[in-house]
Amino acid sequence: ESGEDELDKEIVDTTENTLESDDDDDHSHNTVITKNPKSNSSANDIIELNVGGQRVTTFRSTLTAVPGSILASMFTVDEKNKTKSKRIEPVAYFFDYNPAQFTYLLDQLREIKRMVKFIPSELDIKPPSADVRFNFSIMLSELGLNPERFLSPIVGIHLNLNKTSLVGWKECYRGRYNTPFNVSVLTNICKGKRLLVACRSLDDRKTLAVAGIGQRQNMFKPCTSNPYCTTEKNNGLGFYYVTDRVWGFEGRPQGWIEHQNYGYGYQNNGAILNPCDTSDQHSEYRLCWSIPSSAGRGSGDRCGSEKNLHNSKRWERLIFETI
C-alpha cells in the first residue's frame, strides 16, 4: 500500500496541467524546466511555457512527440552532451499564439506520444473549430507540425515532378515498359498505406512525367472488361483495375469540374480497349499498365500523352511508398 501511495504521489507531481499566468509574475516569459526527482529521463522534464500571456505546463515528451518537427527540435535534449554537474537554468520561451488553440494542440500531441506506432507523414492534427482554422494552420506550419514537412507531395496528381523534390518517399519498384506489370508487386514489395505511382522517359531520369498519389485501399476499384469504367476521384485522381488486364489512373487538372466521370478507354462517346486507356481527354493526366496474363498484351501502356509504350525500353514504371 505504501508503494502505491508513492506511485500516486509521483503521478500527481508530474501531471500535465495548464496554469493561468499571474499578473505580478516577473518571470512569466520564461520557460522553467524542473525534473521529476524519481526519474533520470529528460523526457519526464516538466516544462513551463508562456503562450500568449498564459503559463502552460507540460512534459518535454509531449513537446517532442513528433520527431523532426520544429517544436520537437526546440526541446530535444542531447543526452550524450549533457553536463551532469551543471544546473539547468530557466530558458526564455514565449509563444505568440492563442493559448486555447495551443492547449488544444497539446492534447493531440499527448495522444500522439502514446501511440504504439506513429508515422509523421500520417500526421493529422485537427483545428478546434472552423472559425479559427486559418490561425491554427499557421501555428502548425510555424511549429513544423504540418504533414507536408514529412511527405511531399502528399495527394493528387502531378505533372513533370522532379524526383529530387520528393520528401518522405522511397522507391519500391522500377520496371521497363517492354515487360508487363505484375500486380504482385503491390502485395509482396510495395506495402505502404500510401503509394506514389509514376512513369518517366529514360531520356530524362530526373523527371516523373506523371505521378498519382493514393491510398492503397482506393487503388483497386474494380471495373469490368467492357470499354466503360467509372472512377471515383479523390483530389482529382481516380484509380481503376480490371482483373488480369490493366491497372492505372486518370486525373484532372486542379480545379476542374465535370459532370461525368468516365474512366479509362473513354473518348468522346466511344471507347476502345486494346487493352489500355486510349482516351485523349486530359491525356497528360493518364497512366495505364497492362498485366501479364493479358493475351498478347495488345497495344496500350501509356505514360501521360505517350501511348502504345508496351514494347518500349525507353520508358519506365515507378512506384514509391512512404518511408
Side-chain angles (χ1 to χ4, degrees), residues 121-122 151 153-155 169 191-196 213-216 219 320-322:
S121 60
E122 300 294 331
L151 187 66
I154 195 168
V155 295
W169 294 101
K191 300 180 180 181
K193 292 182 179 180
R194 191 187 306 235
L195 300 177
L196 185 153
I213 302 168
Q215 298 285 348
R216 172 183 290 277
M219 290 188 169
F320 300 79
E321 62 184 355
T322 53

Side-chain angles (χ1 to χ4, degrees), residues 290-309:
S290 58
I291 297 172
S293 56
S294 269
R297 295 187 65 211
S299 62
D301 285 52
R302 71 185 297 166
C303 176
S305 300
E306 296 291 333
K307 302 179 184 178
N308 298 322
L309 300 176

Side-chain angles (χ1 to χ4, degrees), residues 150-260:
F150 308 97
L151 187 66
S152 180
I154 195 168
V155 295
I157 190 164
H158 305 268
L159 302 183
N160 301 318
L161 184 63
N162 192 312
K163 191 169 179 282
T164 60
S165 69
L166 300 182
V167 177
W169 294 101
K170 65 178 179 180
E171 183 180 309
C172 57
Y173 167 79
R174 186 192 306 177
R176 300 286 178 91
Y177 264 75
N178 64 317
T179 60
F181 177 68
N182 192 331
V183 291
S184 66
V185 166
L186 298 171
T187 55
N188 300 333
I189 301 175
C190 299
K191 300 180 180 181
K193 292 182 179 180
R194 191 187 306 235
L195 300 177
L196 185 153
V197 183
C199 56
R200 70 179 178 187
S201 167
L202 294 183
D203 295 331
D204 185 2
R205 295 175 184 266
K206 293 182 179 179
T207 305
L208 303 178
V210 58
I213 302 168
Q215 298 285 348
R216 172 183 290 277
Q217 68 267 23
N218 297 327
M219 290 188 169
F220 289 93
K221 298 294 183 182
C223 292
T224 62
S225 59
N226 64 51
Y228 300 99
C229 175
T230 301
T231 63
E232 296 180 12
K233 292 184 178 61
N234 294 300
N235 299 298
L237 176 66
F239 280 84
Y240 57 82
Y241 175 60
V242 180
T243 304
D244 295 332
R245 288 182 64 87
V246 292
W247 181 59
F249 63 71
E250 60 156 344
R252 296 291 184 268
Q254 186 176 4
W256 175 264
I257 298 175
E258 61 185 341
H259 300 291
Q260 298 183 29

Side-chain angles (χ1 to χ4, degrees), residues 33 35 40-45 47 60-61 64 71-83 88 93:
I33 303 174
K35 283 201 167 191
N40 293 323
S41 173
S42 62
N44 290 328
D45 290 351
I47 299 179
R60 185 189 300 277
S61 59
T64 59
L71 180 64
S73 66
M74 294 171 65
F75 295 97
T76 299
V77 173
D78 185 350
E79 297 288 345
K80 295 182 180 180
N81 295 330
K82 284 175 62 178
T83 304
I88 301 178
Y93 276 105

